[in-house]
Amino acid sequence: MTEAMIRKKAGMASVKDMPLLQDGPPPGGFAPVRFARRIPNTGPSAMAIFLTAFGVFSWGMYQVGVGNKKRRVIKEEKYAARRAILPMLQAEEDERFVIEWKKYLEEEARIMKDVPGWKVGESVYNSGKWMPPATGELRPDVW
């Protein structure tokens, strides 16, 4: 809105000559301002929240127990399978040991043929107990 329209005169005039226009409240006044705390009382109660949390926790612990049972069954099945094939694996290892032991004794006989009184295959330790040689002992070529 221009000054000419407000004054209903053409041209500029002093501010003092202009009619006073001031904003005011609308007729009937402004609506009241809400300043009080209005906390809604809707939503679950503390007991409902507690029971829900307890239920969820209980269900989770039940699922942990079910998972532990499944894991235990799988582990027992794995151990049973290992126990079932253990005799076959031990037989294979014994067969390999006998073959390597024979090679070892032949090599020992060839190396110690010039030593008087040397008994091939006799232990230099006299403990009275038979002990399988340590790993790698039957493979002189690996050293």
Side-chain angles (χ1 to χ4, degrees):
M1 203 181 267
T2 65
E3 180 185 348
M5 289 177 69
I6 294 172
R7 289 186 310 121
K8 299 192 183 358
K9 290 187 204 173
M12 294 283 293
S14 172
V15 175
K16 294 179 184 173
D17 296 339
M18 291 179 67
L20 199 61
L21 273 180
Q22 185 175 357
D23 284 340
F30 289 108
V33 177
R34 288 180 47 192
F35 61 89
R37 284 185 65 190
R38 297 188 190 260
I39 301 172
N41 57 0
T42 60
S45 66
M47 183 59 75
I49 293 171
F50 174 76
L51 291 176
T52 302
F54 180 76
V56 168
F57 177 77
S58 299
W59 180 78
M61 293 310 294
Y62 170 75
Q63 291 299 317
V64 167
V66 168
N68 286 344
K69 286 180 183 177
K70 287 180 183 177
R71 206 167 25 257
R72 190 178 310 122
V73 167
I74 291 170
K75 186 190 257 186
E76 180 56 37
E77 182 180 343
K78 181 171 75 171
Y79 287 158
R82 287 180 181 179
R83 284 191 303 267
I85 66 171
L86 186 65
M88 184 180 72
L89 294 176
Q90 186 64 49
E92 287 178 355
E93 176 56 25
D94 291 346
E95 182 181 12
R96 186 205 64 81
F97 176 79
V98 167
I99 292 169
E100 290 291 329
W101 186 250
K102 286 181 183 175
K103 288 180 189 175
Y104 178 75
L105 292 179
E106 290 170 4
E107 183 73 10
E108 183 183 354
R110 184 185 66 77
I111 293 172
M112 302 302 284
K113 65 183 174 199
D114 297 330
V115 178
W118 183 265
K119 296 179 184 173
V120 175
E122 185 175 293
S123 176
V124 293
Y125 305 106
N126 297 315
S127 66
K129 286 172 77 173
W130 182 84
M131 296 289 286
T135 305
E137 189 174 326
L138 296 181
R139 299 171 192 261
D141 57 324
V142 176
W143 296 58

